[in-house]
């Protein structure tokens, strides 16, 4: 039985060490849900065409999905964009969740070094994946409306922080290494610029989107959502590899490891006990 206990201790110790390492990193990033908060509208940015606008220009009488990412990110940000596209592709079948009609999308770069050129390239990439409704003779209209309702913003660090601080989105930027650590979360804003709801993680469930957008359209504010498993994009090693960090998932993994190994130990103990009982019964019969 000793080898099993040894495996358990190694697994738990290893996970605990990883947790300590992640904890020191994820203190630099996180999410404080500021439901009901109003966003500053006079903050300057540039859209994907290079046009200078104030943040208030993104509000066109519709709810706004605010997605803080950066356009050159190759990990979590890609998953966020991909899942948003998939959700909207499904919604087109019922002609719902149409950008530019039902709501607007604002993807805000949290990397102040990114440019409108990069923003436009990301927008082209996204719209190459988007599929307009078929057979309704309105593909051109749908795409034009969606493009008008989808902004890709870049700006100074001060401008970016003004917005991310207002919605409680905490990220870290290391000037020396040009590294950004950030959580995965999006915000649904009312037409008046108030935080209505949060979507935590890289997924955009269709039912949640519809419900939250309907609430925001009525200028209503929702309730805090569970953020127990906060996904984040963190770059921490010397080789410069990006690693997806889920601090609380590591905790869950630790628990699962303990339960799994504990189950193995219990199973082996019961098996040995049954064998001993059988041997005892056999000896009693002789």
């Amino acid at each position: 039985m000793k080898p099993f206990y040894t495996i358990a201790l190694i697994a738990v110790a290893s996970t605990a060490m990883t947790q300590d390492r992640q904890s020191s990193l994820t203190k630099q990033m996180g999410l404080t849900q500021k439901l009901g908060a109003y966003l500053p509208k006079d903050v300057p940015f540039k859209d994907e065409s290079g046009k200078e606008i104030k943040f208030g220009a993104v509000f066109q009488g519709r709810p706004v999905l605010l997605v803080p990412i950066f356009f050159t990110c190759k990990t979590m940000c890609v998953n966020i964009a991909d899942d948003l596209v998939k959700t909207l592709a499904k919604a087109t079948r019922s002609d719902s969740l149409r950008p530019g009609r039902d709501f607007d999308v604002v993807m805000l770069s949290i990397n102040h070094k990114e440019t409108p050129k990069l923003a436009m390239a990301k927008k082209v990439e996204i719209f190459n994946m988007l599929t307009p409704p078929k057979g309704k003779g309105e593909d051109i209209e749908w795409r034009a409306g969606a493009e008008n309702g989808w902004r890709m913003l870049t700006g100074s660090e001060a401008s970016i922080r003004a917005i991310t601080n207002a919605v409680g989105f905490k990220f870290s930027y290391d000037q020396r290494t040009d590294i950004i650590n950030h959580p995965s979360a999006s915000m649904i804003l009312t037409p008046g610029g108030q935080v209505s709801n949060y979507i935590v993680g890289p997924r955009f469930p269709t039912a949640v989107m519809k419900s939250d957008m309907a609430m925001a359209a009525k200028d209503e504010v929702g309730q805090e959502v569970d953020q127990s498993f906060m996904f984040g994009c963190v770059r921490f090693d010397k080789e410069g590899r990006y690693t997806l960090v889920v601090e609380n998932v590591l905790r869950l993994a630790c628990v699962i490891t303990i339960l799994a190994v504990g189950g193995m130990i219990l199973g082996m103990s019961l098996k040995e006990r049954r064998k001993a009982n059988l041997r005892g019964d056999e000896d009693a019969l002789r």
Side-chain angles (χ1 to χ4, degrees), residues 4-19 250 253-258 261:
F4 287 99
Y5 283 105
T6 304
I7 292 171
L9 291 173
I10 291 173
V12 173
S14 175
T15 305
M17 288 173 63
T18 305
Q19 282 183 249
L250 289 174
C254 181
V255 173
I256 291 173
T257 300
I258 294 172
V261 176

Side-chain angles (χ1 to χ4, degrees), residues 32 40 44 48 54 59 75 78 83 88 136 151 168 171-172 185 187 189-190 193 199 201 204 226 234 242 249 273 278:
T32 301
E48 66 275 10
K54 296 295 179 65
F59 298 101
T75 52
V78 175
D83 199 76
L88 298 183
K136 295 185 179 181
R151 300 286 187 96
F171 69 97
S172 69
M187 304 84 205
L189 314 176
T190 68
I199 295 178
F204 296 86
D226 182 25
V234 177
Y242 274 95
V249 168
R273 186 175 298 175
L278 286 173

Side-chain angles (χ1 to χ4, degrees), residues 59-258:
F59 298 101
Q60 300 293 320
R62 297 178 290 268
V64 170
L65 174 65
L66 176 64
V67 187
I69 58 173
F70 62 102
F71 306 133
T72 53
C73 177
K74 302 300 182 185
T75 52
M76 184 62 72
C77 299
V78 175
N79 294 334
I80 291 171
D82 285 352
D83 199 76
L84 177 57
V85 168
K86 289 176 182 176
T87 296
L88 298 183
K90 292 177 182 177
T92 57
R93 298 169 189 168
S94 59
D95 195 29
S96 60
L97 293 178
R98 181 188 291 195
R101 187 195 67 181
D102 303 320
F103 72 106
D104 295 315
V105 179
V106 175
M107 287 187 161
L108 172 66
S109 171
I110 57 175
N111 185 344
H112 66 278
K113 292 185 177 180
E114 293 195 320
T115 63
K117 184 178 179 180
L118 283 173
M120 179 59 83
K122 187 65 177 179
K123 184 171 182 177
V124 169
E125 177 187 323
I126 288 171
F127 273 80
N128 283 340
M129 294 188 293
L130 274 176
T131 305
K134 301 290 186 181
K136 295 185 179 181
E138 56 183 27
D139 290 10
I140 296 176
E141 178 188 349
W142 185 95
R143 188 170 291 278
E147 288 180 357
N148 289 334
W150 200 301
R151 300 286 187 96
M152 315 289 281
L153 301 185
T154 54
S156 67
E157 185 170 9
S159 292
I160 294 167
R161 294 284 183 186
I163 301 302
T164 56
N165 289 343
V167 297
F169 182 92
K170 185 173 69 174
F171 69 97
S172 69
Y173 174 73
D174 190 320
Q175 183 73 33
R176 182 180 59 84
T177 58
D178 197 31
I179 286 175
I180 295 177
N181 297 334
H182 67 90
S184 170
S186 302
M187 304 84 205
I188 294 178
L189 314 176
T190 68
Q194 193 176 18
V195 180
S196 177
N197 273 298
Y198 286 83
I199 295 178
V200 174
R203 301 287 177 257
F204 296 86
T206 304
V208 172
M209 284 278 287
K210 288 182 178 180
S211 174
D212 287 356
M213 287 299 173
M215 183 178 292
K218 298 176 184 176
D219 290 316
E220 296 177 353
V221 175
Q223 298 180 338
E224 286 195 8
V225 297
D226 182 25
Q227 58 184 64
S228 300
F229 303 108
M230 173 62 72
F231 284 77
C233 183
V234 177
R235 182 177 177 182
F236 59 82
D237 60 359
K238 294 181 179 179
E239 290 75 22
R241 295 191 309 266
Y242 274 95
T243 302
L244 298 182
V245 176
V246 193
E247 187 175 21
N248 288 304
V249 168
L250 289 174
R251 292 195 184 102
L252 180 62
C254 181
V255 173
I256 291 173
T257 300
I258 294 172

